[in-house]
Amino acid sequence: MKMINYTECGLPDNPVYVTELGRAYLGDSLELMKCLPNESVNLVLTSPPFALTSKKEYGNKDAGEYVDWFLPFASEIRRILAEDGSFVLDLGGTYLPGHPVRSIYQYELLIALVRKVGFYLAQEFFHYNPARLPAPAEWVNVRRIRVKDSVNVVWWLSRTEYPKANNRNVLRPYTEAMKKLLKKGYRAKKRPSGHDITHKFSQNNNGSIPPNLLELGNNDSNSNYMRECKKNGINPHPARFPRKFPEFFIKFLTDTGNLVVDPFAGSNTTGYVSEYLGRQWLAFEIEESYIQASHFRFGLDSYHHEIADDDKDAESQLKLFSGSDNYGDS
Ligand SMILES: C[S@@+](CC[C@H](N)C(=O)[O-])C[C@H]1O[C@@H](n2cnc3c(N)ncnc32)[C@H](O)[C@@H]1O
């Protein structure tokens, strides 16, 4: 793997911490990204503060000013992306203050990113969190005129029409029904929809192609990060990615040794997952306490413990449905 020379690439020599494959910086990512050379990054994966009606502790922007606030970051991101690089942007929705109607800021932003900054929309994803609590209470619980909002939009953007991507790296295990069908074989026929299902359907491809709906709860309550935050009396970041979110896109869109950047790193889930998938990474975060605490993620063997915990997923899902550890709104 060709290691990046960070001093040569112009980043300041004062990271908050360094790991084998990455560096975490405290600062405004708009300034820090300016230090990076053109076309030097393979994937920018991030979740910025959303335009929320009820503000989080780290200051969210108003929906009205969101596009103007974000565009300078977007231009820098496009500049630093390799030609076949990708920009994955996770955004939650919001209601207009005092009204049971939604802001369309994520869609306005998407249009500006394509029309003004020059990105392509490679594909849109929907990030479904079954554990999201019903809100706002007034519309959902009291008047009962809206339902639970449980998805974030995820814009997968690129500089060209053919960003590097390989869905073979993110195949899902076959269902029991599919396994049976593969064993028995499938008789080619036309479906009522008109689709011609050929014998190729019964070919074993080692897993099924995932949809663009990613169902991911947050079950990191037992992670090194959570344990150490608790031990040190630190509030964990309120809007952490579930580990499997960056995992999906890093496997799908990058190769070993590639560089992944998260300009709104928070608790640095992106850097943590990158490290353990063998990708180089940079994390930029403006709040000192968040970036300091994110170092806990890199405890000995913590990733392997978390993967082992996946086996207990069914149990965790039950806990999630009772709303015990929510992946909050950003
Ligand atoms: C939604 S959170 C990201 C959470 C992250 N995905 C995780 O897994 O922990 C957004 C973060 O962006 C940070 N932020 C806001 N403006 C920033 C800026 N200009 N530069 C760097 N970080 C910024 C906030 O402090 C906040 O922690």
Side-chain angles (χ1 to χ4, degrees), residues 278-289:
R279 273 65 169 176
Q280 302 186 68
W281 59 268
L282 289 169
F284 303 144
E285 168 56 49
I286 208 161
E287 288 289 331
E288 185 166 8
S289 58

Side-chain angles (χ1 to χ4, degrees), residues 40-80:
S40 56
V41 175
N42 303 96
L43 171 65
V44 173
L45 171 68
T46 202
S47 174
F50 303 162
L52 295 180
T53 314
S54 48
K55 308 273 186 264
K56 289 252 164 214
E57 63 189 34
Y58 49 77
N60 298 86
K61 305 291 158 199
D62 282 331
E65 64 190 33
Y66 199 86
V67 174
D68 288 343
W69 170 73
F70 195 78
L71 284 191
F73 291 93
S75 300
E76 273 308 302
I77 291 169
R78 191 173 183 285
R79 182 188 66 75
I80 62 175

